[in-house]
Amino acid sequence: MSLNVSSNVQGKDREHSLKIVAWTFSACLASYLLLFVVYYPRGLESGDNAYKIQQIQDLRESGRTDVLYGLKEVDPRHEFYPAIYPFLIESDGSYHLPFPFQLIHLYRPFYALGGLAGIVALVLSTGIGVLILGYKIIARQAEPSRGAPLLMVLAGGSALIPYAFSAYEHVITTFCFLAAAYFYLFSRFPYREILAGLSVGLGLFVRAESILLAPLLLAGRFLASGGKFRLQSDLRFALTTGILFLLFVGSNLLLTGHPFGFRGKAGFGWPVIADALYRVLEYLWLREQPYTTLGRATPAVALSLLLLLQWQKAGEEYRTLFLSGWAYCLAVPFLISVPPAAQFGERYIMAAYPLLILSMLPLTRSNVRWQRYGLLLLFIGTTAWTVRGGLEHLKNARKFREGLALIAKEAWAATGSEKVVVLRNRTLNTFYFHDPEKRTYLLAESDADFHRLIALLRTAGISRISVWHTLLRGENLVSPQGDTFSFAPTLVPKDFKGRQISSRAVPFLEIANYEIGPIP
């Protein structure tokens, strides 16, 4: 009788504990949706996302992956196309934007349904998916409510609240990583290893470096279990990811001639050891700008190192999360020779964030009150820091996009009926990506390039152009990501012979329309 009473009490306690986790999940979800409404990316996209949108539009219009370029006949080398290396890659005589065509095909139906809103809806869904998977892992605990604060940490930093609206594909890979770890380590679903492999495969098609997670999960579980092999389980996982990797490489070879696609053709090269080691430190902490490294943006990841104090008691699954998560954070900046950008949490390694956060679940089991509540205070403090930085990032990005939209409206009005626009600063190509009139935009920053372009335009029979020049200078021309840009010194070279038809200054821009005449 007493056993039944004890069992019933434990069942009720667990049910109440699960309700606390569910309430926490609901609060995080509501906050996320509210921020989506408040900070939805209105205005014009810039940077990488604008290039990807243009790639989708070109694909929809032509059915091909190479860029559409109005002056292709007279400028076959695309010297004046409004993109510069590494955003324009030559491949067998054709020119392409460097983003994975698999990613563009993934975005394409969502863009067709709702434009940018459709892509953001996809990102929103995967962000919510991270929360759901975190909830399912926490709910497996004997006392789930003790792990509930980790949902708050996930919502605060793992590509959910602060990050979901800028580097979109990195949110998708974050979901893929956690899905792979969930199916590989926690799920009881039949053939779960195949689902784990499919999750890694989806991440691979979005970001090529995601394939690293497969060997890291395998090696992490091998080490976490003390050197035990699970032949059937590991073989299914390895075979699934291997087949998808071969499909990825084969499709890239077929369509681009390089196993890693157009980005691979850019040729990043093998890492120099000293540079790679310093880059690892930069990605994790050393970069000076606040919120731009994993440690500075999401300091909760440092708390996962406390797991080393309870290594033996932690359990194989959580030791695997810890090992594979940290290994990914070290391997990616070491192997990929791309310097860290001034973006929130350094996007390349944010995908491992949920693995590191959920690896701390064993720390929440402590019955020592000061340890449990001390950890809770650390979770709250580090999450508040992360959300503060994320909100700052979102506000800046929204102001930048909305500012671009206002400038574009006046700039297009000043351009009038002219169909060819010559940009004197490469930052202005953002307007090319969004122009509803589909004008031909060309880039000529130096005076020598400007004169060569005018000669090409005359050869092509074009007699009228609009020239755009930014009034911003040097340190003033800074994107929300912190990038600065070069600029031409004047609207047109002093020895330019064209006849000015009209001119107008709009916010931050000087615009003039010219008659350049026939071939001399």
Side-chain angles (χ1 to χ4, degrees), residues 111-232:
Y111 185 82
L113 287 172
L116 178 60
I119 295 176
V120 176
L122 168 65
V123 174
L124 177 69
S125 301
T126 53
I128 293 171
V130 173
L131 270 183
I132 293 172
L133 290 171
Y135 169 82
K136 289 178 74 67
I137 292 172
I138 291 169
R140 296 177 73 255
Q141 308 301 300
E143 295 184 69
S145 58
R146 292 192 177 189
L150 286 176
L151 272 180
M152 172 189 69
V153 183
L154 275 181
S158 74
L160 291 176
I161 289 176
Y163 197 62
F165 310 113
S166 53
Y168 299 139
E169 72 269 26
H170 297 282
V171 187
I172 301 173
T173 54
T174 300
F175 169 74
C176 292
F177 274 38
L178 190 53
Y182 171 75
F183 287 119
Y184 187 59
L185 299 171
F186 298 99
S187 176
R188 296 182 178 88
F189 193 83
Y191 300 106
R192 54 193 174 274
E193 300 86 3
I194 295 176
L195 294 176
L198 291 173
S199 299
V200 174
L202 177 59
L204 167 66
F205 288 129
V206 174
R207 298 287 312 182
E209 66 270 16
S210 300
I211 191 60
L212 289 172
L213 184 65
L216 293 177
L217 272 177
L218 285 166
R221 189 159 83 164
F222 176 76
L223 294 173
S225 64
K228 294 178 184 176
F229 279 111
R230 292 165 177 77
L231 190 59
Q232 268 194 331

Side-chain angles (χ1 to χ4, degrees), residues 25-41:
F25 172 82
S26 299
C28 292
L29 181 60
S31 300
Y32 186 36
L33 293 173
L34 177 62
L35 283 169
F36 173 78
V37 172
V38 174
Y39 289 106
Y40 174 79

